[in-house]
Amino acid sequence: MIGVHARYRGRGKRRAEVVARSAEALATLPGVSPFEILSVEDIRTDVDSPEHALNLVMALLSDGNWAIGLGIATHGRGIFAATDAAGTRPAQVRVAVDTRNPGTAAEDIAAAFALLGHVLHKRTLEGREATSLVRRGMNQNEAARELGISKQAMSQRLQAAGWQAEQAGWKLALNLITRAESDRA
């Protein structure tokens, strides 16, 4: 089982409302179960697959205000491992894996997320808009039309936003999570 625990570390007022709204919105992602709200700042949920876990963690990382725990457990629910892993620093993913090689798998997954977090953190508003459209399945021509820019400008935005690095990191993280889940003892 795979679980995700997120701890809000933003500076916004009315933290409980922000956390509740975020939990509600994130639960609409494919493969994500409704969240348990544990406290004013903490939420956690189970996910159906490594890909759904990755998409949820990427959404939380993109926001930049969440400390994230990812748990992959042999027995029971992964959210308990995720809760144990959840840190306190925003835009940081800590990982707990209950497999044959827990330390190595957890370190590798956390390293992939650290690289992805760096790419996402450096992104401008224009880069976020461009990558969001392409991530939703639009090709560059369609995304350029949506933004009212040329295809060349769209290509430049994606390049500056580190789109290729994000795609490579996404694939690496997915492979590592899938391997860790299949290595469960």
Side-chain angles (χ1 to χ4, degrees):
M1 300 280 309
I2 302 174
V4 176
H5 183 117
R7 181 169 291 137
Y8 183 68
R9 290 295 181 228
R11 297 180 184 208
K13 296 180 180 180
R14 300 183 180 215
R15 299 168 86 72
E17 290 176 26
V18 170
V19 169
R21 280 195 318 271
S22 297
E24 189 176 318
L26 291 166
T28 65
L29 292 172
V32 176
S33 298
F35 280 81
E36 290 179 63
I37 298 178
L38 303 173
S39 69
V40 171
E41 298 176 332
D42 290 82
I43 57 176
R44 68 183 182 188
T45 190
D46 292 308
V47 291
D48 290 346
S49 71
E51 185 173 354
H52 295 137
L54 176 54
N55 289 333
L56 174 57
V57 171
M58 290 292 288
L60 290 162
L61 270 178
S62 294
D63 181 78
N65 290 315
W66 296 88
I68 306 155
L70 175 68
I72 302 170
T74 304
H75 303 290
R77 294 172 63 196
I79 58 171
F80 300 122
T83 296
D84 291 342
T88 58
R89 292 183 41 213
Q92 177 188 33
V93 180
R94 293 181 53 201
V95 181
V97 178
D98 178 13
T99 66
R100 285 178 239 148
N101 298 310
T104 303
E107 291 169 7
D108 290 348
I109 295 166
F113 279 123
L115 294 171
L116 281 165
H118 181 74
V119 169
L120 295 173
H121 179 71
K122 297 292 183 183
R123 202 165 272 169
T124 64
L125 176 61
E126 291 82 10
R128 278 185 246 141
E129 289 174 336
T131 56
S132 174
L133 293 172
V134 175
R135 191 178 301 111
R136 283 191 268 161
M138 290 185 181
N139 64 37
Q140 286 190 29
N141 288 328
E142 294 166 338
R145 272 194 303 277
E146 178 79 20
L147 294 174
I149 61 175
S150 69
K151 183 186 179 300
Q152 181 181 5
M154 182 65 181
S155 180
Q156 290 170 344
R157 283 188 187 186
L158 290 172
Q159 179 71 24
W163 176 245
Q164 289 179 329
E166 178 185 329
Q167 289 300 106
W170 190 94
K171 192 173 286 188
L172 173 63
L174 179 62
N175 290 340
L176 292 170
I177 295 168
T178 301
R179 189 174 308 137
E181 186 187 35
S182 67
D183 281 350
R184 292 183 295 168

